[in-house]
């Protein structure tokens, strides 16, 4: 059955509330049929208003049916994951790849009349769209492209240009309403970091774990513990930490330690470059700082084996400097508390979170315990594996992921995959009024969907005709050749479309009428774009 998000951006207007109640009654009446285009009372469509991160520009295209500049959206076509539909349509209709929801909340539900129009040679009668809208964010510095059978002139426009470019008068107030709501949500997110210190510190004092390195906050002890804790579990570190400090109680002892003894003390912790850098940095401190641990971020950051996080931890915990320490725990907490769907593995995400916290730390007296509280809440409550303990979290009253039911979806972790490019020759084989299609393999990209016959690489017209002869379709005339591109998440198809009139419909293909490509066979956009004029 259709899964429908009842909780939406509040308050809805009365018109939206009526639309929602009507839609819910239709869902009760028709069930999943409401997701299909042939539902007699109208059907669900999903749109995403795409804004730039600063909410000052929107990505729109000139829609060929409505003859107006407008938002990006499309039919649910049986998919009950409505946010997923909005995301899919946004990618397909603009070719943007880096795009994410501003929030999981539905921003608006509107009943929109659709005029009679012709699509793929077939008349589509007037009907109603029950449109569910989400707010999407996309950085502006990425390639965009039209979807030839849907729109043209996809581009970023200033939000102050909407009134002059949109010729659908009834849509203009809807766009402004959505922009206002997205700006309000963005402002809500921006205000969250300033709410966190008081809540975290009040929770931390009575609830933090009793860990051995918290008994002594001198730079040497904190430094050793932070290096040991890199890529190693807390429970495993405890014994090593005690034994290491017993053998090497200060920086001087570490700097002068025999390498064999040092490796023996570290044996079992792994990643031995860590302990080599410890000794190297200890020698630097002895030689350049007279054995006194440096007390500025820049000096600490220059020491071997110390990165941004460790330098921030030492600065805040040992010297109460207003410098955050941003590790995986902190990134996960921030992603959830702000309901941030950006890729947590992206360096830009970490830089942005660091900048946000750098504005908060100067307002706090106890920077050291704030750093430890941020790490502690991520390690014990907003945990990385399994469901977080939201009922115990001091941030739950303003955590947007908790409020919007998206905790399990966050953080987003997407490892970057190098984009591949493939050249294909796609055949539009016409026999009378019918076109040849075939089923794709049951595994892999576009599995089990229908496709136009195609082969790898670009063929010359002579090679294309030879290929058709091998398929036994007896090519009669080369009608035209077109060039198309389709962008998937990790692969781009550069396609040469060859239109051929054939004498016989060979049985290895299914021969479909153009109207059947709309109503019977699921032909993906990657192939539909070859057919588009």
């Amino acid at each position: 059955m259709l899964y429908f998000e009842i909780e939406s951006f509040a308050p809805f207007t009365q018109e939206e509330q009526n639309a929602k109640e009507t839609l819910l009654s239709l869902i009760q009446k028709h069930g999943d049929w409401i997701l299909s285009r042939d539902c007699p009372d109208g059907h669900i469509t999903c749109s995403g208003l795409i804004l730039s991160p600063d909410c000052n520009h929107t990505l729109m295209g000139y829609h060929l049916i409505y003859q107006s500049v407008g938002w990006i959206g499309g039919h649910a076509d049986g998919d009950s994951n409505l946010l997923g539909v909005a995301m899919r349509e946004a990618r397909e209709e603009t070719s943007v790849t880096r795009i994410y929801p501003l929030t999981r909340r539905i921003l608006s539900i509107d009943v929109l009349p659709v005029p009679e129009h012709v699509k793929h040679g077939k008349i589509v009668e007037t009907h109603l769209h029950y449109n569910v809208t989400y707010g999407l964010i996309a950085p502006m510095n990425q390639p965009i492209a039209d979807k030839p059978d849907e729109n043209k002139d996809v581009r970023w426009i200033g939000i102050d240009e909407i009134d002059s470019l949109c010729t659908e008068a009834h849509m203009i107030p809807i766009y402004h309403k959505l922009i206002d709501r997205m700006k309000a949500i963005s402002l809500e997110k921006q205000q969250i970091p300033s709410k966190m210190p008081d809540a975290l510190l009040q929770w931390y004092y009575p609830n933090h774990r009793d860990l051995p390195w918290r008994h002594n906050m001198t730079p040497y002890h904190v430094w050793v513990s932070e290096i040991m804790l890199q890529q190693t579990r807390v429970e495993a570190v405890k014994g090593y930490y005690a034994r290491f400090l017993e053998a090497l109680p200060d920086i001087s002892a570490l700097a002068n330690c025999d390498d064999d003894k040092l490796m023996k003390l570290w044996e079992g912790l792994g990643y031995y470059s860590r302990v080599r850098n410890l000794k190297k940095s200890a020698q630097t401190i002895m030689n350049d700082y007279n054995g006194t641990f440096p007390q500025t971020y820049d000096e600490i950051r220059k020491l071997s084996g110390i990165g941004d996080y460790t330098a921030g931890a030492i600065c805040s915990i040992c010297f109460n400097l207003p410098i955050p320490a941003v590790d995986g725990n902190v990134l996960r907490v921030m992603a959830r508390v702000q309901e941030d769907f950006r890729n947590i593995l992206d360096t830009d995400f970490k830089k942005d979170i660091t900048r946000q916290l750098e504005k908060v730390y100067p307002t706090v007296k106890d920077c050291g315990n704030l750093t430890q509280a941020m790490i502690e809440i991520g390690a014990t409550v907003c945990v990385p594996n399994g469901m977080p303990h939201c009922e115990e979290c001091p941030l739950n009253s303003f955590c947007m992921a908790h409020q919007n039911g998206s905790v399990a979806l966050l953080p987003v972790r997407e490892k970057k995959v190098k984009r591949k490019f493939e050249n294909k020759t796609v055949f539009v084989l016409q026999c009378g009024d019918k076109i040849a299609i075939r089923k794709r393999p049951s595994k892999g990209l576009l599995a089990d969907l229908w496709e136009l016959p195609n082969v790898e690489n670009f063929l010359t017209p002579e090679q294309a005709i030879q290929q058709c002869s091998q398929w036994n379709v007896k090519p009669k005339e080369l009608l035209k050749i077109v060039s198309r591109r389709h962008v998937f998440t990790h692969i781009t198809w550069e396609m040469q479309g060859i239109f051929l009139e054939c004498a016989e419909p060979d049985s290895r293909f299914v021969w479909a009428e153009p109207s059947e490509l709309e109503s019977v066979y699921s032909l993906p956009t990657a192939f539909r774009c070859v057919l588009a004029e």
Side-chain angles (χ1 to χ4, degrees), residues 148-161:
D149 61 335
E150 293 281 351
N151 57 34
K152 64 180 181 178
D153 194 25
V154 175
R155 61 188 176 92
W156 288 99
I157 64 174
I159 58 176
D160 55 352
E161 298 179 84

Side-chain angles (χ1 to χ4, degrees), residues 390-424:
C390 295
E391 67 284 353
E392 302 172 15
C393 183
L395 310 178
N396 61 21
S397 64
F398 52 82
C399 175
M400 295 181 71
H402 176 60
Q403 294 170 356
N404 297 329
S406 55
V407 170
L409 305 177
L410 295 166
V412 174
R413 301 173 63 89
E414 295 178 348
K415 293 184 178 180
K416 290 186 177 179
V417 179
K418 188 175 181 181
R419 178 172 292 282
K420 292 169 52 180
F421 288 83
E422 292 184 358
N423 295 333
K424 291 183 176 293

Side-chain angles (χ1 to χ4, degrees), residues 107-141:
L107 290 191
S108 174
I109 299 176
D110 300 280
V111 182
L112 303 176
V114 182
E116 181 180 286
H117 60 277
V118 177
K119 188 169 185 179
H120 302 304
K122 180 182 177 182
I123 296 178
V124 180
E125 296 180 354
T126 300
H127 59 281
L128 293 178
H129 281 174
Y130 290 89
N131 193 78
V132 176
T133 307
Y134 293 90
L136 306 179
I137 299 292
M140 295 177 66
N141 59 340

Side-chain angles (χ1 to χ4, degrees), residues 436-439 450 453 467-473 505-511:
I437 59 174
R438 66 186 181 188
K439 202 74 172 289
W450 292 89
Q467 175 65 61
C468 290
S469 297
Q470 293 175 7
W471 283 334
N472 199 33
V473 294
D506 189 81
S507 60
R508 77 186 66 206
F509 301 122
V510 170
W511 296 81

